[in-house]
Amino acid sequence: MLPDVRAELGALLFRRVAGPDGRATRARIHDTPGPRWFAPDRPIRVVHGDAAMFAGGLSALLLQSLHPLAMAAVAAHSGYRGDPWGRLQRTSAFLAVTTYGTAEDAQAAVDQVRGIHERVRGTTRDGQPYHAADPHLLGWVHAAETEVFLRAHQRYGAHPLDPAGYDAYVADTARVAEALGVTDPPRDRQALSARLNAYRPELRLTPEARAAARFLLLDPPLPLPVRPLYGALAAAGVTLLPSWARTLLRLPRVPFVEDFTVRPAGHLLTRTIRWAMSPPPHSN
């Protein structure tokens, strides 16, 4: 019975994240021979392959929403409300192919995304122009997601890295960021922190960011029976945000609840996801 539960839960989670063609996509990414951007021992493979990314992904979306131009582009062009699972699946496929796929496939994925970014243009509700291919906006998106992916792995990862390992993770992500068009991405945690601080004067909670946070935290596209589990995961994602970002998002810290309820629940959920999505040990 237990292996059946494990297999069913793992398959359900995999379908949500990878989509109906996920198995074929995974086989192509991992089994196609050829050189890779990242060797098997690189930190980016450790971080992006861990179940902590479930909480980190939610946190990244919340943090990224605070840049008015980036959020305006997402609200107008991404279709995250109409097709949230499709967007998740496309994002996870991009992370997987650039992290684990062949160099040829990784570059093809980057070229496809750059082509999409080039076409995404518009103006915010107060008349500011935006262009998704703008290196400055791309730099914000990259720095925000790198920060919270790192934080998520530090807190919930199965095998947290040492300080040098996390510096190397930031350096690894810079390889992908440069390919996407980011100018001089940070290559260690100190530079990453400085880059995030440099963006802070540009950040604010716009109506689009409020709507995105409400969708992610209060009205996810999930059946009612699983919403409490998602809520616990979302709460864990909120606790990963920098304190200044929580202030902007109006998500105050509740020390007792977070320390004695949210964090333990986050650890339990992450371990459960990791257990469900890992192959069971071979029986003797």
Side-chain angles (χ1 to χ4, degrees):
M1 176 65 72
L2 192 59
D4 289 343
V5 170
R6 180 181 196 165
E8 290 177 11
L9 179 58
L12 175 63
L13 288 169
F14 184 75
R15 283 196 301 272
R16 283 294 192 187
V17 174
D21 300 324
R23 292 187 183 278
T25 301
R26 180 172 61 183
R28 187 186 74 249
I29 289 171
H30 292 278
D31 299 341
T32 301
R36 264 71 178 164
W37 281 358
F38 304 106
D41 62 345
R42 292 305 302 171
I44 193 171
R45 287 183 167 231
V46 176
V47 174
H48 290 178
D50 194 275
M53 288 287 285
F54 279 78
L58 280 164
S59 189
L61 293 173
L62 291 169
L63 184 55
Q64 289 167 347
S65 76
L66 286 172
H67 197 292
L69 301 185
M71 188 61 228
V74 168
H77 299 274
S78 76
Y80 77 90
R81 282 184 168 278
D83 184 25
W85 296 113
R87 186 169 190 268
L88 170 65
Q89 290 153 14
R90 291 187 292 273
T91 301
S92 67
F94 179 82
L95 284 170
V97 74
T98 51
T99 303
Y100 306 103
T102 65
E104 182 179 358
D105 283 348
Q107 187 61 55
V110 164
D111 291 343
Q112 182 180 27
V113 170
R114 292 193 71 157
I116 294 169
H117 286 167
E118 190 60 41
R119 298 190 296 272
V120 174
R121 300 169 183 265
T123 57
T124 65
R125 63 174 61 220
D126 58 359
Q128 289 182 280
Y130 62 77
H131 183 198
D134 176 3
H136 186 69
L137 287 186
L138 290 171
W140 161 251
V141 172
H142 167 69
E145 74 174 21
T146 301
E147 173 71 11
V148 290
F149 288 171
L150 191 157
R151 286 171 175 247
H153 194 266
Q154 281 181 311
R155 182 172 299 171
Y156 297 119
H159 303 289
L161 304 175
D162 61 15
Y166 283 120
D167 280 339
Y169 169 68
V170 177
D172 285 348
T173 65
R175 168 71 176 86
V176 182
E178 278 190 317
L180 283 168
V182 177
T183 302
D184 188 26
R187 287 175 167 79
D188 59 34
R189 288 173 302 158
Q190 183 177 1
L192 177 61
S193 178
R195 187 66 54 87
L196 287 168
N197 283 333
Y199 277 103
R200 284 181 61 181
E202 303 173 33
L203 308 180
R204 67 177 188 275
L205 183 64
T206 62
E208 292 84 0
R210 281 197 300 270
R214 191 159 48 245
F215 180 76
L216 289 168
L217 301 177
L218 302 177
D219 192 26
L222 291 167
L224 287 175
V226 300
R227 285 197 179 190
L229 294 176
Y230 174 88
L233 189 67
V238 168
T239 67
L240 296 172
L241 291 165
S243 59
W244 53 262
R246 293 185 62 169
T247 299
L248 285 175
L249 286 162
R250 300 174 187 171
L251 297 170
R253 173 170 159 74
V254 186
F256 181 85
V257 173
E258 292 188 13
D259 294 340
F260 295 99
T261 304
V262 174
R263 288 196 184 192
H267 281 287
L268 177 61
L269 281 169
T270 306
R271 285 196 297 268
T272 301
I273 293 168
R274 188 179 297 119
W275 169 78
M277 298 191 73
S278 299
H282 294 294
S283 56
N284 296 325

